[in-house]
Amino acid sequence: KKIFPGRVETLFKFEPLISQLLLAGDNLPHLVALFTIQPSVAETLPGAAAPFHECPAVIAEVDRIVRRINKQLAPFEQIKRFRILPRDFSIEHGEVTATMKVRRRQVMENFRPELEDLYRRGASGRGGE
């Protein structure tokens, strides 16, 4: 089935911990996501410590968010695996426009190893494992 990333991404825009995200998986076996987080929110989580993208407390909270949002989605729209990135998407890396619109193709190119790793691991695991 055809995935409409904007529909799924919109559900995450209301999550204070999530700064940015990119969904990948159209015409692939399942959907995966790359997240960036808001450090000011992450630091308020119990047990959170920098670097936040590797912190078990932050990964667990993102996992809870993903599970909650997945319940609102059709099975083919659900995120099966995700990775928290160490930085926001940036203009300097060509990942966003001057108006902060995400350039999907460039993000996917810049984070190709992370995306490939998510698919190599299959749909059974979660988070930044």
Side-chain angles (χ1 to χ4, degrees):
K1 295 201 179 222
K2 178 81 173 148
I3 305 292
F4 296 97
R7 175 180 127 62
V8 178
E9 290 169 352
T10 298
L11 295 172
F12 286 92
K13 297 219 185 279
F14 300 102
E15 296 295 334
L17 181 60
I18 306 300
S19 175
Q20 297 167 311
L21 81 138
L22 176 104
L23 296 180
D26 202 17
N27 299 318
L28 291 169
H30 57 272
L31 210 56
V32 298
L34 299 177
F35 290 103
T36 67
I37 57 159
Q38 291 285 356
S40 60
V41 176
E43 65 191 13
T44 67
L45 296 173
F52 295 123
H53 71 286
E54 296 175 345
C55 175
V58 174
I59 293 168
E61 184 59 25
V62 171
D63 189 57
R64 278 190 284 281
I65 292 167
V66 168
R67 287 174 189 264
R68 186 177 71 245
I69 290 176
N70 273 350
K71 290 177 184 175
Q72 303 171 48
L73 301 170
F76 71 92
E77 295 176 305
Q78 294 177 358
I79 295 169
K80 303 299 184 198
R81 296 199 41 77
F82 66 89
R83 177 70 42 89
I84 300 170
L85 300 174
R87 64 170 178 81
D88 270 340
F89 305 144
S90 70
I91 292 171
E92 297 79 30
H93 291 97
E95 298 155 348
V96 291
T97 65
T99 59
M100 298 308 287
K101 184 174 182 338
V102 175
R103 290 183 168 144
R104 298 179 58 76
R105 187 171 295 152
Q106 189 63 51
V107 172
M108 291 175 78
E109 180 62 31
N110 290 358
F111 292 100
R112 181 184 307 252
E114 290 82 353
L115 288 167
E116 288 174 351
D117 186 55
L118 288 171
Y119 279 103
R120 233 186 338 272
R121 293 171 185 267
S124 59
R126 300 193 72 84
E129 302 163 7

